Amino acid sequence: MVITRFPPSPTGYLHLGGARTALFNWLFARKEKGKFILRFEDTDLERSKKEYVDAIIEALKWLGLNWDEGPYFQTQRLERYLEVAERLVEEGKAYYCACPKELLDQKREERLKRGLKPRYDGTCRNLNLNKGKGRVVRIKVPEDLLEISFEDLLRGRITFTPDEVDDFIILRADGIPTYNFAVVIDDLDMKITHIIRGDDHISNTPKQLIIYQLLGVKPPQFAHIPMVLSPDGSRLSKRHGARSILEYREEGYLPQAVINYLARLGWGYGDQEFFTVEELIEKFDLRRINLAPACFDPNKFLALNAQWIRFLPEEEIFKHLWPFIEPLGARNHSEDYLLGVIKSLKPRVKTLKEMAENMTYFLTEDYEIYQEALVKHLTAELRPHLEELTKLLDNFPLEDEKEMETKIRAFAEERGVRLKDLAQALRVALTGKTVSPPLFEVMRLLGKDRVKARLNRVLKY
């Protein structure tokens, strides 16, 4: 069975690059009818925070990236890492090192001054030291190692020379495992078959392969995907200005649009741009991942979100829109009414936040009429016409938009006023704005009583 994992470090929020990695692992597992595991690499005790754990979980749930096992936490598995490290020492594949940090820093500086790559010189390699305070555990890299190589599912064979790896630390003096050690033990214990991760991890792979070799087990298959770049070409990461996925939710992006856009960041299926989750699962193929770094395009992202707003049924939009409109008085209206308003606004907005802002005059009578619009369109010349129209509204069929337009057009012609001027005055009176959905659609949605009340209120100005 295919088993993938997403192992975020809870030292920050989930950003686009991390979410895309999670998505690719999730899609591959779902395509192969396998498992997707969530695991937190939280051994950076100073920077890891529960608020980040909670936010990452919330973001994954919002995106619909459900996991089959977990979440697991490395800090709850410290005994397991200690057990494996001590076993490697007993087997002569690792050893305790007592070199103080000051001495190591000094040797590092000396090698750098000589133009050499920093590496441990093996001072404690053959001393057979016992466990003791302040001592770390180092892996004993095999001396007969000729090369370190693996077959990347995307990049083909990648080879490293042995001198690129020294006797690296796998367990710190405080009992906390290093990243490369913990991740190998986790992947083995969780029976991970495929590791899909950013290509910044390629440099970690040699150390991990050595650990697999010393443990006598076959490593999972690796697929290193390219990084996501910001519009200016710099790397997009949580340390370099990338925004939290939840920020996009707060701005009114739909999870379906986020998933769709993330999938298209470096992956494609012909010229198709718009994908449902079901289509992504059906068509996802690792071999279609482009090895060139993908560039985040906020304008394209926004346009795709607008497309999803137009595509989804009103009932689905309503669920995601509710947090935006509930504070504006949505509870005072029926769901049918709100669905009608959503249907009217869908083709005209790009985010749910924008939709909510344009719903204000549909939700409350306490809407603002912009002064500039009032002065320009609610003129003294139009006042008598608006007064007469308000009196006649009981005879006008607001529920029939075409008939309503015919009636008001005839009214304007009869009174010698331009329909354009009268319609814009009505629009400003009813919405407070000069731009809205079609006027007669707005009047139908508001209903006769609210239309009359608003016109009467405006006539008092």
Side-chain angles (χ1 to χ4, degrees):
M1 178 187 289
V2 164
I3 304 178
T4 65
R5 81 310 195 255
F6 177 55
S9 172
T11 56
Y13 298 105
L14 183 64
H15 59 92
L16 285 172
R20 186 191 64 161
T21 299
L23 174 62
F24 283 178
N25 278 278
W26 185 85
L27 286 174
F28 186 68
R30 294 292 173 260
K31 172 70 177 289
E32 301 297 329
K33 296 180 170 48
K35 285 184 181 179
F36 174 67
I37 293 176
L38 176 61
R39 183 177 79 219
F40 283 96
E41 297 180 345
D42 59 342
T43 54
D44 186 340
L45 302 181
E46 290 186 5
R47 296 172 58 227
S48 294
K49 295 181 181 179
K50 185 178 183 301
E51 68 178 272
Y52 295 138
V53 171
D54 294 341
I56 291 170
I57 288 176
E58 185 180 355
L60 291 173
K61 286 182 176 179
W62 179 66
L63 292 172
L65 302 182
N66 55 313
W67 50 93
D68 304 294
E69 289 184 20
Y72 297 108
F73 295 86
Q74 288 184 334
T75 51
Q76 297 174 2
R77 292 171 43 80
L78 298 181
E79 290 185 6
R80 173 61 174 156
Y81 308 129
L82 177 61
E83 170 198 338
V84 178
E86 290 182 338
R87 191 178 83 216
L88 287 171
V89 172
E90 291 172 5
E91 295 173 354
K93 298 172 181 177
Y95 58 93
Y96 288 104
C97 173
C99 294
K101 182 178 182 301
E102 296 75 16
L103 177 61
L104 293 174
D105 289 342
Q106 180 183 335
K107 290 183 176 181
R108 173 187 174 85
E109 289 300 319
E110 289 175 356
R111 288 188 64 88
L112 288 173
K113 288 179 181 177
R114 291 160 53 196
L116 300 174
K117 185 177 180 179
R119 59 184 292 115
Y120 181 63
D121 61 6
T123 299
C124 298
R125 182 181 175 100
N126 298 311
L127 298 182
N128 296 318
L129 298 176
N130 295 320
K131 184 177 182 179
K133 184 178 179 181
R135 293 182 179 179
V136 302
V137 177
R138 290 184 180 274
I139 209 75
K140 186 179 284 187
V141 177
E143 293 180 336
D144 59 352
L145 199 62
L146 298 178
E147 70 173 23
I148 309 165
S149 64
F150 69 99
E151 197 72 27
D152 189 283
L153 293 173
L154 301 178
R155 301 163 185 274
R157 179 156 294 276
I158 298 178
T159 301
F160 303 86
T161 57
D163 62 0
E164 294 185 56
V165 183
D166 60 2
D167 286 0
F168 56 93
I169 296 172
I170 58 172
L171 199 69
R172 300 182 180 93
D174 59 3
I176 302 296
T178 56
Y179 165 76
N180 285 307
F181 184 56
V183 73
V184 167
I185 307 308
D186 290 342
D187 288 338
L188 285 177
D189 289 352
M190 296 170 194
K191 297 180 172 57
I192 303 301
T193 61
H194 293 76
I195 295 174
I196 304 168
R197 60 188 183 184
D199 57 13
D200 55 331
H201 284 284
I202 290 178
S203 60
N204 290 319
T205 313
K207 293 180 178 180
Q208 294 169 14
L209 290 173
I210 289 173
I211 296 172
Y212 283 115
Q213 178 183 332
L214 295 177
L215 291 172
V217 292
K218 183 180 178 181
Q221 292 184 272
F222 294 92
H224 290 93
I225 59 179
M227 291 289 97
V228 179
L229 302 181
S230 64
D232 65 4
S234 61
R235 178 185 167 189
L236 190 74
S237 71
K238 61 186 176 185
R239 290 189 180 185
H240 295 87
R243 304 170 66 191
S244 163
I245 286 294
L246 294 179
E247 286 187 58
Y248 290 103
R249 181 183 67 177
E250 292 164 7
E251 289 190 3
Y253 283 75
L254 289 162
Q256 295 91 336
V258 178
I259 288 292
N260 190 163
Y261 186 73
L262 289 175
R264 289 290 291 117
L265 276 177
W267 176 87
Y269 190 86
D271 295 329
Q272 185 173 346
E273 293 286 345
F274 191 89
F275 292 88
T276 63
V277 171
E278 293 74 21
E279 286 178 309
L280 287 173
I281 293 173
E282 175 191 348
K283 296 176 178 178
F284 186 74
D285 186 338
L286 283 175
R287 292 170 297 181
R288 289 185 174 273
I289 293 177
N290 192 328
L291 291 182
C295 187
F296 171 63
D297 185 336
N299 294 324
K300 190 173 182 179
F301 189 15
L302 184 61
L304 185 62
N305 194 62
Q307 191 175 353
W308 267 98
I309 289 176
R310 294 192 297 271
F311 172 78
L312 287 178
E314 288 77 44
E315 292 79 5
E316 180 68 17
I317 296 288
F318 179 73
K319 290 190 299 183
H320 297 289
L321 182 66
W322 182 255
F324 295 92
I325 62 175
E326 194 273 337
L328 302 177
R331 290 188 182 277
N332 299 324
H333 303 279
S334 70
E335 184 172 327
D336 284 344
Y337 170 72
L338 296 172
L339 292 176
V341 174
I342 291 171
K343 183 177 181 180
S344 176
L345 292 175
K346 275 174 59 174
R348 301 172 174 85
V349 299
K350 294 182 178 179
T351 68
L352 299 182
K353 187 176 181 180
E354 183 185 357
M355 180 179 283
E357 291 168 352
N358 282 280
M359 282 182 75
T360 304
Y361 55 84
F362 282 113
L363 301 176
T364 178
E365 298 308 305
D366 188 26
Y367 60 95
E368 179 184 3
I369 297 181
Y370 292 97
Q371 188 66 25
E372 184 178 339
L374 188 151
V375 171
K376 182 176 180 180
H377 297 288
L378 294 174
T379 62
E381 291 78 11
L382 284 174
R383 180 184 178 88
H385 305 301
L386 288 176
E387 286 178 335
E388 185 63 22
L389 180 60
T390 303
K391 295 174 185 177
L392 296 174
L393 273 179
D394 285 331
N395 302 319
F396 284 19
L398 265 66
E399 65 282 353
D400 186 332
E401 294 174 27
K402 288 187 177 180
E403 182 64 19
M404 184 67 184
E405 181 179 359
T406 300
K407 291 274 188 181
I408 290 186
R409 186 181 294 277
F411 173 84
E413 289 178 0
E414 180 182 326
R415 298 184 66 89
V417 61
R418 291 198 310 171
L419 177 63
K420 177 181 178 182
D421 295 337
L422 182 63
Q424 196 67 336
L426 283 169
R427 189 188 312 279
V428 172
L430 298 177
T431 70
K433 301 180 178 182
T434 56
V435 177
S436 75
L439 173 63
F440 305 110
E441 188 175 310
V442 171
M443 295 177 77
R444 174 181 60 80
L445 288 167
L446 288 174
K448 193 166 294 184
D449 290 343
R450 293 174 78 192
V451 168
K452 288 174 64 177
R454 291 185 180 194
L455 288 176
N456 282 320
R457 186 182 70 170
V458 165
L459 287 170
K460 293 178 182 178
Y461 281 117

